[in-house]
């Protein structure tokens, strides 16, 4: 069985986080459950190729698409994906690969083919149903936190919730790091008479937010472009370009898994 979908380094990090399966019955135990690694192959296959769950090739992944979807549901409800992301961020910090002094934040619209939680009329797609990915990254574009809202939500409403989602990143001796020193954002965050700048100052974060009505060229884009590049990396996972899942938590779980894959990719290329 090819492991190009789930390499050993990914499996070694995720296996300890998976919840134990219930014991099989002694009488009428039924069919032997699919292997967890095979189920993860099915999830990653859908994330990369954007096929429907029923079209997952069992010969390549080792399990059916229905089984892969059920494991995605169970592992999402168990909180596996945020914990995996936190583990990888700690490894990055330990290796000196995380630079949280300068961070950038932004949002990106995606269409939603099916209605569900966290969908809304998209202002950039003729009010069709859509969702928004909100992302904060470090200076290198490493995703620190991600969230999902309806397509009609303003980016600035997710500024403080997204900061609260940054985990306490360990990896070095001393207090865990969970707060950037400076936060870069575009003009969409210049809102309500500097209200959000004051919020950032109160948290000990220096706001670097472009002002409306001011000509371009303040130099903020030299750092802010990193978040745009990370969105491009995320959209290389074809399942994230359009939201197909009705359940918002499952789409967010796939989004968090993609963020973890980006973190793991940085670990691989730096050692």
């Amino acid at each position: 069985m090819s492991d190009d979908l789930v390499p050993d380094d990914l499996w070694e990090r995720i296996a300890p986080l998976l919840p134990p399966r219930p014991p099989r019955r002694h009488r009428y135990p039924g069919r032997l459950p699919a292997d967890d690694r095979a189920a993860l192959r099915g999830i990653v296959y859908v994330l990369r190729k954007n096929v429907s769950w029923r079209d997952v090739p069992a010969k390549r992944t080792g399990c059916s698409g229905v089984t892969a979807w059920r494991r995605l549901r169970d592992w999402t409800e168990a909180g596996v994906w945020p914990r995996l992301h936190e583990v990888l961020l700690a490894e990055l910090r330990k290796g000196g690969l995380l630079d949280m002094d300068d961070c950038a934040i932004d949002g990106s619209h995606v269409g939603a083919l099916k209605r569900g939680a966290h969908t809304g009329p998209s202002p950039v797609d003729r009010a069709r149903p859509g969702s928004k990915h909100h992302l904060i990254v470090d200076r290198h574009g490493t995703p620190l936190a991600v969230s999902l809202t309806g397509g009609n939500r303003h980016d600035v409403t997710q500024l403080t919730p997204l900061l609260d989602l940054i985990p306490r990143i360990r990896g070095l001796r001393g207090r865990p790091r969970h707060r950037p020193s400076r936060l870069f954002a575009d003009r969409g965050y210049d809102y309500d008479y500097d209200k959000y700048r004051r919020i950032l100052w109160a948290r000990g974060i220096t706001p670097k937010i472009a002002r409306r009505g001011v000509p371009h060229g303040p130099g903020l884009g030299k750092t802010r472009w990193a978040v745009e590049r990370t969105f491009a990396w995320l959209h290389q996972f074809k399942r994230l370009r359009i939201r197909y899942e009705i359940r918002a938590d499952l789409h967010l779980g796939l989004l968090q898994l993609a963020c973890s894959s980006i973190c793991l990719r940085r670990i691989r290329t730096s050692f």
Side-chain angles (χ1 to χ4, degrees):
M1 180 71 65
S2 175
D3 278 332
D4 56 327
L5 294 173
V6 182
D8 291 340
D9 54 356
L10 174 60
W11 179 244
E12 289 169 0
R13 289 168 173 86
I14 197 172
L17 307 177
L18 299 180
R21 288 199 299 268
R24 300 181 68 197
R25 296 173 299 181
H26 293 287
R27 189 177 185 185
Y28 307 117
R31 184 180 299 175
L32 187 68
D35 179 66
D36 283 338
R37 187 166 183 172
L40 184 59
R41 286 193 200 100
I43 295 170
V44 173
Y45 188 87
V46 171
L47 180 61
R48 289 186 182 178
K49 304 296 185 180
N50 190 24
V51 300
S52 64
W53 291 99
R54 64 175 177 270
D55 292 333
V56 172
K59 290 185 178 180
R60 180 175 181 186
T61 62
C63 76
S64 68
V66 174
T67 298
W69 182 89
R70 288 173 179 164
R71 299 289 172 86
L72 171 65
R73 175 199 62 194
D74 296 342
W75 295 345
T76 300
E77 293 173 352
V80 170
W81 315 119
R83 294 204 302 272
L84 173 63
H85 190 197
E86 186 174 350
V87 166
L88 292 169
L89 288 175
E91 288 189 36
L92 286 168
R93 188 176 182 221
K94 183 178 180 179
L97 302 174
L98 205 63
D99 186 353
M100 292 182 62
D101 288 338
D102 292 335
C103 293
I105 187 172
D106 205 354
S108 176
H109 286 273
V110 293
L113 294 187
K114 302 175 183 178
R115 295 186 181 273
H118 300 310
T119 61
S122 175
V124 298
D125 194 16
R126 300 181 182 180
R128 295 187 178 118
S131 296
K132 246 185 178 181
H133 299 159
H134 302 270
L135 181 67
I136 184 169
V137 303
D138 79 337
R139 189 178 187 88
H140 305 295
T142 304
L144 303 175
V146 67
S147 66
L148 178 71
T149 65
N152 56 337
R153 294 295 298 276
H154 198 287
D155 287 346
V156 77
T157 63
Q158 296 303 301
L159 190 148
T160 52
L162 203 56
L163 287 171
D164 293 336
L165 286 175
I166 299 177
R168 295 185 176 273
I169 305 172
R170 303 182 182 276
L172 296 176
R173 294 184 63 181
R175 184 177 300 177
R177 184 77 182 268
H178 70 283
R179 184 182 299 136
S181 299
R182 292 173 292 275
L183 185 64
F184 290 73
D186 60 21
R187 287 167 174 79
Y189 294 84
D190 183 26
Y191 191 76
D192 201 4
Y193 302 101
D194 287 342
K195 170 185 174 181
Y196 292 93
R197 286 186 175 86
R198 291 193 296 270
I199 291 175
L200 291 176
W201 280 117
R203 289 173 173 240
I205 302 171
T206 303
K208 297 290 185 179
I209 303 174
R211 290 192 177 273
R212 297 184 181 185
V214 177
H216 290 270
L220 301 183
K222 293 180 180 178
T223 300
R224 204 175 63 232
W225 72 276
V227 68
E228 300 292 346
R229 182 182 62 177
T230 304
F231 273 125
W233 288 341
L234 287 175
H235 292 163
Q236 290 177 355
F237 297 92
K238 297 180 181 179
R239 190 70 174 188
L240 301 179
R241 297 176 185 176
I242 298 177
R243 176 179 164 183
Y244 293 89
E245 282 71 32
I246 296 178
R247 289 183 50 169
D249 60 337
L250 299 189
H251 183 79
L252 180 59
L254 292 173
L255 190 59
Q256 292 166 336
L257 176 57
C259 288
S260 296
S261 298
I262 292 173
C263 293
L264 184 58
R265 187 187 309 164
R266 177 155 172 76
I267 292 173
R268 290 172 183 157
T269 57
S270 299
F271 290 103

